Each structure stands twice: as C-alpha cells, then as structure tokens.
Amino acid sequence: MKRAALATLTLLALGTAGAQTRTVTIGLGYFPNVQFTPFYVADKLGYFTAEGLTVKYQHGFINELMPLLHQGKLDFVVGDPEDAIFAKTQGADVKYIMTMYQKNPVTVFSLSPIASAAALKGKMVGIPGPFGSSYNALQALLDDAGLKDGTDLKLATVGFTQVDAVRAGRVDAAVGYINNDVLNLARVSGKKVYTLDISGAYPMVGAGLIGTGKSLSGDLASKVVRASQRGLKFTVADPARAFKLAQPVFGTEGGTLDVLKASTPLVTSAWTQANGIGSSNPAAWTKAVAARVKQGSLPAGAKAADYYTNGYVSKTLK
C-alpha cells in the first residue's frame, strides 16, 4: 500500500514538473557556429532544464530574426547592441539584457603595420557594409581621429570577404573580428597580421541577449540569463571541453577551437568579477551611445539606459 502511494506521488510530482516546463526560443545569428558555444553548452549540460526550461535555438541572419522577435515568434535573440539600439529607435519594445563579450571584438586589420588611426589616411579600408557594430565602431574611430571617408581615406564595401580582400590586396586594411577574421587571415596568408584597437573610440560591449517587453515580464528573462551565464562561465573555465560538447551542434565547418580560445578572454573583465559574468559596463554603453549621438544616428536626448539593463543578471555568477 505504501509503495503504491509512493509511486502515485512520484508520478504526480513528475507530471507537475512536466507541466511547469516552458519552451523558450532563442534566435542565434547566421548559422550554427563556434561563437555560440556558451549557449549550446548551457543546453547540453542541463542549465536550462535546471531553470524549468526547454530551449530551442533558431539560426538566421539578424535582419530575419529581429522581426520574429518583435512578432513574438522568438523569445530572445542574440545580437549586437546596435541591433537593439536600431530596433528601439524604430519603436520596438526591446532591450539588451546580457552580454557575451565585455569588449567588442571589432578591429581594423592589415598585413602592414597600423600603429594608429592616422595610418589609415590615404588607404582603402574594406567594410562589410554601412551597417552593424563594425561600421559604427569604425565611424567612431574615424570621428575620433578627424578622418573623413572620401577625403582622407576610402571605405570599400566588400561584404563578408574581408580576409580575401586584404590577402589579395584589393584593400589596404579591413574591419573585422579579432577572434575570427584576424586568425583566418594569419592562417591562409602565413603572415603576421597587424590590428588596430578600436575600443578607445568605441568601447561598446559585444553581442548578447536581446528581449522584448513580453519576454522580459515575469521571471523568464532571469531564468534564461542565469542559464546563459552558467554556459559562459563553463566555456571560459574549460574552452576545450566546451568545444567538444558543442561541436556536434555546429559541426566541423562551424569554427575551430582556436577561435573559441581567442573569444573567451573577451567574456570576462574586472567589471564581471564585481558584477557578474554577462553584466554590461554602464561606462561602455554611455560612451558608445554618446558616439552614436555625435554621428547623428541617435537623437540628442538618447540615454544608454534606454537600450540596455543589468536587471536580469545574477551577480553571484562570476
């Protein structure tokens, strides 16, 4: 009799737990890739399950994912801060709520030395296009150095072929990512790659989680952020094991361990040690938003707090 009662209670408990499980959908940019390892790991190691969540990832380009977020077909999207800023200026109810990278990985790279922005004068610089974090970071750099496109240098739209464009000499330098494009150029050229740090002019954080008013109500966002923070923490502590766990998701064409190892130092900082991994540094946002205002792409009264919050980040996960 006792065994039967215990079995019944167990089944009831399992049924209740199942009923409380919620499916959360997260859009990840582009295609399955090593850069999303912390999220894959958070799923593989049961961090979302521990929060009572079943996670489903949907890959696609950010211009495809953001509309789905607005329509409620996705709960969250991983994108650049600029994606949240742009959507907000268009009237969307969105906010950036957790950062993957404390330092934006955008850089200017070349096969020739570039000691400062002044070295770009008279050069042709390749850009993916006049959009996104790379373009905004470059514009801030040029503004800071007093350089103008068409007068002091020329910007050439090369799509996402920056590595090939620099290697072939079609451009003198290009804007890309220090944890990806720079490594790829060094690998395919066999030469030293020179980089120019943009963070002084544009110290914005990198890609992270973006949510909507709907997904940010209740406790869902806190649960998703907490699981994601645990994924970030695990990946930083053991990138080799994280890579092994995540590779079945992104496959052999989705990136290398070298890319992941180059990415993990960008995830932590003195700020995260005090405020939690995934937390955004307000000073970075304030200066970056001020740069956007100076460029004329944001209204004069724009404030950083309009676009991001640290309210869902757990300070105990460091």
Side-chain angles (χ1 to χ4, degrees):
M1 189 71 172
K2 288 183 179 179
R3 287 182 179 179
L6 182 60
T8 301
L9 288 172
T10 301
L11 287 172
L12 286 172
L14 288 172
T16 302
Q20 292 177 340
T21 299
R22 174 174 177 177
T23 297
V24 60
T25 56
I26 301 177
L28 302 178
Y30 312 116
F31 41 80
N33 191 270
V34 67
Q35 67 178 304
F36 302 118
T37 290
F39 294 97
Y40 302 143
V41 163
D43 184 24
K44 290 275 188 178
L45 294 180
Y47 297 156
F48 284 99
T49 302
E51 298 291 345
L53 302 173
T54 297
V55 64
K56 289 187 177 180
Y57 295 124
Q58 180 171 331
H59 287 275
F61 288 99
I62 194 67
N63 62 338
E64 300 167 336
L65 297 176
M66 288 301 285
L68 296 178
L69 179 68
H70 307 329
Q71 295 162 17
K73 295 178 180 178
L74 293 173
D75 296 305
F76 301 91
V77 162
V78 173
D80 290 325
E82 289 79 9
D83 296 318
I85 291 172
F86 177 76
K88 187 77 171 179
T89 60
Q90 299 299 304
D93 183 15
V94 301
K95 263 193 177 175
Y96 179 102
I97 61 170
M98 188 205 80
T99 182
M100 287 177 64
Y101 300 131
Q102 293 298 310
K103 180 180 179 181
N104 193 321
V106 173
T107 188
V108 177
F109 63 95
S110 173
L111 292 175
S112 300
I114 40 175
S116 67
L120 300 176
K121 192 168 184 177
K123 307 293 186 183
M124 183 177 289
V125 180
I127 58 173
F131 54 79
S133 60
S134 60
Y135 183 71
N136 286 300
L138 179 63
Q139 286 296 315
L141 178 71
L142 298 182
D143 287 345
D144 194 55
L147 299 175
K148 294 187 179 299
D149 176 28
T151 302
D152 302 302
L153 75 166
K154 183 176 180 180
L155 300 183
T157 297
V158 298
F160 295 100
T161 66
Q162 305 102 303
V163 170
D164 289 336
V166 172
R167 183 189 181 193
R170 294 195 297 273
V171 295
D172 300 298
V175 181
Y177 293 97
I178 197 165
N179 56 336
N180 194 338
D181 298 301
V182 171
L183 296 179
N184 288 337
L185 180 57
R187 177 177 53 80
V188 298
S189 69
K191 299 178 180 179
K192 180 177 180 178
V193 180
Y194 298 87
T195 61
L196 180 61
D197 189 358
I198 294 181
S199 62
Y202 194 72
M204 182 55 103
V205 297
L209 274 173
I210 301 169
T212 66
K214 181 181 177 181
S215 61
L216 298 184
S217 63
D219 61 357
L220 177 63
S222 294
K223 291 181 175 182
V224 169
V225 169
R226 190 159 49 239
S228 302
Q229 284 182 273
R230 293 180 69 188
L232 286 170
K233 183 176 179 179
F234 183 92
T235 302
V236 170
D238 195 344
R241 187 178 172 204
F243 181 86
K244 186 175 181 179
L245 286 168
Q247 191 176 35
V249 181
F250 60 77
T252 57
E253 300 298 318
T256 64
L257 179 56
D258 286 345
V259 170
L260 185 60
K261 286 183 174 179
S263 301
T264 52
L266 304 172
V267 174
T268 57
S269 66
W271 175 264
T272 64
Q273 287 302 310
N275 298 280
I277 196 166
S279 177
S280 288
N281 190 327
W285 272 89
T286 298
K287 187 169 181 178
V289 168
R292 297 289 304 276
V293 170
K294 183 179 178 182
Q295 293 169 16
S297 57
L298 288 178
K303 298 179 181 178
D306 296 335
Y307 309 106
Y308 89 100
T309 179
N310 282 326
Y312 302 97
V313 173
S314 171
K315 290 188 175 183
T316 60
L317 284 166
K318 300 177 181 178

